[in-house]
Amino acid sequence: MPVLFGVTGAGAAGAALGAIGAQPPAPSAAARPTARTVPPNGYRWQLPPGFPEPVVPADNPMSDAKVALGRHLFYDTRLSGNGTFSCASCHLQSRAFADALPRAVGSTGEVHPRGSMGLANVAYSPALTWANPLMRSLEQQALVPMFGEDPVELGLSGREQELLQRVRAEPRYAALFAAAYPGGGDPVSLDHIVKALASFQRTMISGRSPYDVFKQGKTSAISASARRGEELFFSEKTECFHCHGGFNFTGTVNYVGKGFVEMEFHNTALYNVDGQGAYPATNTGVESITHDPEDMGKFKAPSLRNVAVTAPYMHDGSIATLEEVIEHYNAGGRTVKSGPHAGVGAESPLKSEFIKPMELTPQEKRDLVAFLRSLTDSTFLRDPRFTNPWRSTR
């Protein structure tokens, strides 16, 4: 069973998107538009048709000025201890703000145990990172890569004042910080930096893929193979939709008006190193937070939007292609034949009830891949609102 962390939201009850359900998500219908499209401060979201409004912390309301500042900070290598890395070093727009590496490599060369998650639609995620139900806001999460020491990512631990001095020394920031945080005094602070970064990331919303166009009524937007794949994806034969349902193709989602916030973590039978369902010691999933043996190997099911450009796959990048991902699930778990992680995932007593042999035909496997490829939002991958603002000036 997936582990579920339920949080009662402040909005109207009963507005769930049907993250677990038998019906395919129709972005224009399943994701109910909220009536509150213009917050009190006048910020206007640029949402795809049918997408709900993201939840924003009360102490960090959205503003165009904060988004502009956050965009500059996101691409600024001043935000690493040795001045070589920025957030964008591991979150590439061309890859839906994921990374090409199996496991992330920090500014000092230290290798992270997990891959960089894509940031597309991260505004809708009530739990950040792969397996931490306690990581609840982008403002909180931003501090981890900046100041974390195990592993070192941006390498800023103990160098907070140096970071602020660097930022103050950049002439462009004077106007950007003043616009984002008016009111006098020195607006350059760590609190304002993380809030601006979070504001920018909340604008990274992707929902204009060929599949979205198809669901809005243009049947020719995706191929016949992709349409067959859609039927398989939402069938009991594959069970895919149980963990990747709803408008954002993940069971972990929140938005304005959602009554019950769901955070789901699953053991997908990727490993079984001891015959009892154990994962490699450096990557035990939610168990590393809760220390509950039942949480061994449970990780968040990421959104599948733009999944075709976010290879390699799984939390540790250990599967290279979408075709191999389908093979993994078709077998009901992965078999690692040799080495320290050897084991038969299909025999794991801890795997999700949805992971079972599918007996897919070769054509059905191709159809599933075609469907997943139809979730690529090419406009998002090139959207100038998310490009590097320093590129033309450095």
Side-chain angles (χ1 to χ4, degrees):
M1 288 288 291
V3 59
L4 297 172
F5 293 83
V7 180
T8 301
L17 291 179
I20 297 178
Q23 296 301 315
S28 60
R32 299 176 182 176
T34 174
R36 189 162 69 88
T37 57
V38 183
N41 69 346
Y43 181 80
R44 292 180 179 274
W45 293 96
Q46 297 184 44
L47 301 176
F51 269 46
E53 183 180 322
V55 173
V56 176
D59 66 348
N60 190 23
M62 295 292 289
S63 74
D64 290 327
K66 268 193 282 190
V67 172
L69 172 60
R71 180 183 168 202
H72 282 77
L73 292 167
F74 186 85
Y75 283 97
D76 195 343
T77 56
R78 294 178 186 84
L79 269 67
S80 62
N82 59 18
T84 61
F85 264 50
S86 68
C87 305
S89 298
C90 297
H91 296 281
L92 313 177
Q93 183 179 7
S94 61
R95 291 181 171 271
F97 293 100
D99 196 358
L101 298 174
R103 295 188 293 156
V105 177
S107 60
T108 62
E110 191 167 340
V111 180
H112 197 286
R114 300 170 188 166
S116 303
M117 298 195 80
L119 297 180
N121 296 343
V122 72
Y124 296 109
S125 183
L128 287 308
T129 76
W130 281 101
N132 189 348
L134 305 179
M135 190 67 70
R136 303 297 308 281
S137 76
L138 287 167
E139 289 81 358
Q140 176 191 13
Q141 193 279 329
L143 296 171
V144 175
M146 293 172 72
F147 301 105
E149 296 180 307
D150 184 22
V152 172
E153 296 181 57
L154 292 172
L156 286 168
S157 179
R159 305 174 75 164
E160 292 85 348
Q161 292 306 314
E162 180 182 343
L163 166 64
L164 298 180
Q165 290 170 7
R166 289 181 191 175
V167 171
R168 290 190 184 102
E170 164 53 46
R172 192 186 294 196
Y173 277 132
L176 287 167
F177 270 92
Y181 301 102
D186 181 4
V188 179
S189 67
L190 183 58
D191 180 59
H192 286 172
I193 287 173
V194 297
K195 285 179 175 175
L197 283 168
S199 295
F200 174 57
Q201 290 175 85
R202 289 192 175 97
T203 68
M204 295 176 176
I205 294 176
S206 173
R208 294 181 170 84
S209 69
Y211 181 68
D212 293 300
V213 176
F214 168 73
K215 295 303 292 182
Q216 291 156 19
K218 188 175 181 179
T219 56
S220 63
I222 64 174
S223 66
S225 178
R227 293 197 293 273
R228 292 193 299 271
E230 180 203 22
E231 292 184 7
L232 278 168
F233 186 91
F234 292 102
S235 72
E236 296 296 338
K237 179 174 183 177
T238 68
E239 312 269 20
C240 304
F241 69 95
H242 287 293
C243 305
H244 294 284
F247 79 104
N248 202 29
F249 293 90
T250 174
T252 299
V253 70
N254 191 25
Y255 52 87
V256 172
K258 194 174 194 308
F260 187 80
V261 180
E262 291 176 81
M263 294 185 286
E264 299 181 5
F265 301 88
H266 312 267
N267 181 320
T268 60
L270 201 61
Y271 294 100
N272 183 13
V273 299
D274 64 350
Q276 300 301 312
Y279 271 43
T282 56
N283 246 337
T284 60
V286 175
E287 188 274 342
S288 67
I289 303 296
T290 65
H291 305 296
D292 183 345
E294 291 297 314
D295 290 337
M296 171 61 69
K298 289 181 176 175
F299 291 86
K300 185 173 72 174
S303 170
L304 295 184
R305 288 191 172 276
N306 302 294
V307 69
V309 300
T310 63
Y313 302 105
M314 306 305 189
H315 65 276
D316 57 0
S318 59
I319 298 185
T321 67
L322 283 177
E323 288 78 7
E324 292 172 12
V325 172
I326 298 299
E327 291 294 348
H328 158 62
Y329 287 115
N330 188 48
R334 182 172 67 175
T335 296
V336 180
K337 295 182 179 178
S338 61
H341 302 155
V344 182
E347 298 176 356
S348 169
L350 299 178
K351 72 175 184 177
S352 166
E353 64 181 324
F354 301 123
I355 308 298
K356 58 187 180 183
M358 300 178 186
E359 299 181 351
L360 296 170
T361 68
Q363 183 60 55
E364 287 175 327
K365 295 174 187 176
R366 289 192 290 272
D367 292 342
L368 276 172
V369 171
F371 169 66
L372 294 173
R373 294 189 185 283
S374 78
L375 301 179
T376 302
D377 178 357
S378 298
T379 301
F380 175 76
L381 304 182
R382 300 190 300 269
D383 193 324
R385 292 178 299 152
F386 308 130
T387 58
N388 184 351
W390 301 100
R391 188 163 292 161
S392 59
T393 58
R394 283 182 173 175

